[in-house]
Every structure is written in structure tokens, then in C-alpha cells.
Amino acid sequence: MSFAALGISKPFIKALDELKIINPSPIQEQSIPFLLSKGTDFIAQAPTGTGKTAAYGLPLLEKINAGSPKVQALILTPTRELGQQVAKQLFKFTKYSDKIFTEAVYGGAKIEAQIAALKRPTQIIVATPGRLVDLLQKDAVDLSHVKYVVLDEADEMLSMGFKKELTRILKHTTGRTNTWLFSATMPPDIKTIIKNYLAPDAFRVTIGADRLNKKITHQYTITMAEDKLDTLVKFLKDMGEERGMIFCRTKVAARTLAKQLKAKNLSTDAIHGDLLQKERDKIMRAFKNESLQFLIATDIAARGIDVKDLAFAAHYELPDQVEYYIHRSGRTARAGNKGLSLIFITKDELKHVNELQEKLQVGIDKVVV
């Protein structure tokens, strides 16, 4: 199957070829023809890293009237990083097409500058829910011509506490827009949003109903509590030049682990909720441009991060929820690559690994590091 066969026009295919995106992924194959042709709501359940941005972004770009300066589409994302990434991707897709202007707006940046930017012709707004509500309160954005609303990583938006903002925005747009919802998981809150704000006949697509990317190898290693740090250090050194993320449950644990690994001369830093936005941006830039080899993160701080070619996700502390394990593991094995998800536990935590295996229907093999 090719993008041309799915109905994508030549200018976009030329840009895709340049980006070396040649063969559509399963989510793109199932979403694009429907989104191009039908005028109804759409629900896709697919793991992160499966090509969702192109799955909704290409049909959206095909439907935008480039001759009108009005805002015609709204894409909501859980984090600033994901919003910036989506806007950048859409810009790359439009290299050879009519000029379509996308503006990303998010918290942690000066709202005045974003208000000024929105006064220019803008056909697509990519926004975090909190900042969009701020802009609506200031009458700084006109959504009256919006025909399409995309909820990207909807489960992450809810888990980050954006339920109130999301419902406010959807109340504002439902009834005169098509809503396209993309989510890795379907917790009860998402089902409520679907019931309240999407059409009963919304078209549904499910990719990887088992919820975990098949290209990820799942393993665990048992260590004494006092040996855990040394076991992690050995694993990281054995990885050679491979890059990855290390997950902790709390901000304190992430901060402490970063200090410990830096003391062992490992190229690492941590992101967590206590960082200022500019500090977080600096660390993320360093990780993306590969001057940092390893990134330590808490579950909330890791939301929306997408970094290419990560070889592993290491769980230095077990996650609080099964959904967090899915999101953590999904940071690796992206875009068709293979990856490793490795859990570091003490003997009395083995029952939690068994629970994960049972709930996710996945084999997690014991290894010695």
C-alpha cells in the first residue's frame, strides 16, 4: 500500500519521500482513507510511536482551505514538546503544497507573543488545553470557523489533569466540528468524553489491541536494594553508545539518581515537575541532539516526549499503574525499530511483575545484568 493509493496528493507525497516516509504504517492505512472521505467523528486506539501525526495530519492538511486565513483545525496535545513536534511535522509535510500556516501555543511561554502570532493568518492551531482556555478567556482566538478538532494522546491529557479544560473546549466546538480522538489506552474518563462529545456512529480503528508494541522485548532483573544502583550502572555501561530513558516514580528519586549517575561519569540528566520550563527545554534539547546519552524521568514529566532511536526504557522503580508501564515502554521501539523494556526489582517486588504480565498478557523474561 502506498500513500498515493490511500488518497494523499502529490505535493504531500513529495515531502513524505524527502522525509523517507515511504510505506504507510497500519494506523495510517486504516485512518487516512476514512478521514479524507467522510465527515464524521473518528476514534483511534493505537500505541505511541505508530505514526499518528501523519495519520491525522495528512488528511487535515488535504482538507484545509489554504486561501482562507481563518483557523479551520484545532489539535490538542498534552505537552508543549508534543505540540511543538506536531507543528514542526505539519510544516515539513507542506514543503511542496500551498502554504498552510500552523501555530503552536502552550503554557510556559509568554502569552502576549502567542497572541501576536495568532493575529497572522493561521489555519491550524496546535495547543495544550490549559493555554487554549487562557487564550479563549482573553478573546485572543476565534474558533468559529473550526471544522476539525483532533485530540492527540487523549489519555495523557486526562491523566495530566486537563479534564476540565478539555470538556470546556469540546463544549465550545462539538456539534459543528468533526472530532478525531487518538489514544493509546481507553480508561473510563476517555469513554465518558467519547459518550458526551463524539457522535454515536463515530468510526473506530484499533491498532495493537494488546496495547504493547510487538517489537519491544520485556525483561526484569532481580537485585538486592543496596546493589540496585551498581546493577543499573553496569547495564548502562554495557549498552555502549545506545541511548535510552530511565524511569523513577518520584521527583526526589529522579533527582537523586541523576546525581548518582553523574558521579559515575555517565552522560545523564533528569526531568521532573520541579524544573522551570527553560531548564526542562535545555535538558530536552541536549537529549535530542545526543549530547546527553540517558534521560531520567518521572511518569508525569515524560508525557508527550518523542525522541528517535531510543534502544531501551529502564524501570529503576516500578510504575504506580499498568498504563504508566505501557507509556514508559512505548518510548522505545518507535517507527518500526526494536527496543528493550527492562525492570529493576528486589525479590519482594516480583509479585508486581507477575501482575504486569497477567494484565498485559505479555511475557517478561528474567535476566541477569
Side-chain angles (χ1 to χ4, degrees):
M1 182 71 78
S2 67
F3 282 101
L6 295 179
I8 298 300
S9 55
K10 282 179 182 171
F12 295 119
I13 291 173
K14 191 174 177 186
L16 290 170
D17 286 345
E18 236 174 64
L19 294 166
K20 302 206 168 20
I21 302 172
I22 310 299
N23 299 312
S25 68
I27 185 73
Q28 291 157 5
E29 280 187 9
Q30 291 198 42
S31 306
I32 290 171
F34 177 83
L35 295 178
L36 281 175
S37 62
K38 299 287 190 297
T40 185
D41 292 345
F42 178 83
I43 300 159
Q45 182 174 358
T48 50
T50 48
K52 294 197 300 292
T53 307
Y56 67 73
L58 291 167
L60 209 53
L61 292 168
E62 294 275 10
K63 285 172 175 285
I64 294 292
N65 173 6
S68 165
K70 305 286 187 190
V71 180
Q72 298 161 51
L74 181 59
I75 301 169
L76 295 172
T77 67
T79 64
R80 167 192 184 129
E81 283 83 11
L82 183 59
Q84 289 171 319
Q85 188 186 303
V86 168
K88 199 181 285 182
Q89 192 87 326
L90 295 183
F91 175 73
K92 288 177 179 173
F93 291 161
T94 57
K95 185 172 178 181
Y96 298 104
S97 71
D98 291 339
K99 269 284 156 273
I100 295 169
F101 297 98
T102 300
E103 196 65 50
V105 293
Y106 39 76
K110 286 195 170 75
I111 196 166
E112 295 77 16
Q114 293 177 351
I115 290 170
L118 289 171
K119 286 181 176 158
R120 301 193 295 258
T122 306
Q123 283 115 354
I124 301 174
I125 291 178
V126 185
T128 51
R131 179 47 55 100
L132 185 65
V133 167
D134 294 341
L135 289 163
L136 287 169
Q137 282 171 339
K138 291 177 180 289
D139 281 330
V141 60
D142 175 14
L143 301 184
S144 62
H145 294 85
V146 168
K147 291 182 180 159
Y148 305 97
V149 175
V150 180
L151 308 181
D152 193 354
E153 303 205 356
D155 52 349
E156 295 205 12
M157 283 194 273
L158 290 180
S159 73
M160 288 176 71
F162 283 129
K163 186 177 181 180
K164 196 172 74 179
E165 290 85 349
L166 217 46
T167 51
R168 178 169 175 177
I169 294 160
L170 289 170
K171 274 178 188 166
H172 199 86
T173 59
T174 299
R176 52 183 179 74
T177 60
N178 289 146
T179 304
W180 302 348
L181 181 144
F182 287 76
S183 192
T185 58
M186 287 286 164
D189 276 353
I190 290 286
K191 289 176 180 167
T192 304
I193 292 261
I194 289 169
K195 185 167 172 265
N196 292 342
Y197 300 106
L198 274 77
D201 63 346
F203 188 77
R204 289 176 182 255
V205 163
T206 303
I207 301 291
D210 51 11
R211 301 152 84 199
L212 280 169
N213 184 335
K214 287 273 196 294
K215 289 186 176 285
I216 301 172
T217 300
H218 299 270
Q219 297 178 342
Y220 71 92
T221 188
I222 297 177
T223 172
M224 305 279 280
E226 59 271 25
D227 297 332
K228 200 175 185 183
L229 177 65
D230 289 337
T231 308
L232 175 66
V233 169
K234 182 181 183 304
F235 166 72
L236 295 177
K237 289 186 171 171
D238 286 347
M239 291 305 288
E241 293 182 6
E242 297 280 22
R243 304 169 67 240
M245 288 183 68
I246 305 155
F247 289 93
C248 294
R249 254 200 321 267
T250 66
K251 294 181 276 196
V252 174
R255 256 199 318 264
T256 304
L257 184 59
K259 278 183 194 158
Q260 290 169 326
L261 294 183
K262 282 177 187 174
K264 306 269 186 189
N265 294 320
L266 287 161
S267 168
T268 188
D269 215 328
I271 55 165
H272 49 76
D274 284 349
L275 291 178
L276 295 171
Q277 190 65 51
K278 63 179 182 185
E279 295 171 320
R280 181 188 164 103
D281 287 349
K282 188 179 171 189
I283 293 168
M284 283 309 303
R285 257 195 318 275
F287 190 49
K288 283 184 176 178
N289 69 26
E290 301 189 18
S291 49
L292 266 187
Q293 187 177 1
F294 310 118
L295 181 69
I296 301 162
T298 56
D299 290 295
I300 297 301
R303 296 300 193 183
I305 287 176
D306 183 13
V307 178
K308 284 180 187 164
D309 303 326
L310 296 186
F312 68 88
H315 311 265
Y316 192 63
E317 293 182 319
L318 278 162
D320 287 329
Q321 302 171 25
V322 174
E323 304 303 343
Y324 286 167
Y325 181 81
I326 295 168
H327 284 300
R328 287 177 176 194
S329 303
R331 302 298 158 204
T332 184
R334 295 174 92 88
N337 296 319
K338 289 182 178 176
L340 168 67
S341 175
L342 177 63
I343 308 168
F344 292 78
I345 56 162
T346 55
K347 202 173 270 183
D348 57 359
E349 291 176 307
L350 186 57
K351 60 181 181 293
H352 298 304
V353 173
N354 293 333
E355 279 169 21
L356 277 175
Q357 292 194 85
E358 206 173 299
K359 286 179 179 170
L360 293 171
Q361 296 293 291
V362 66
I364 306 178
D365 300 320
K366 184 180 177 182
V367 291
V368 176
V369 171

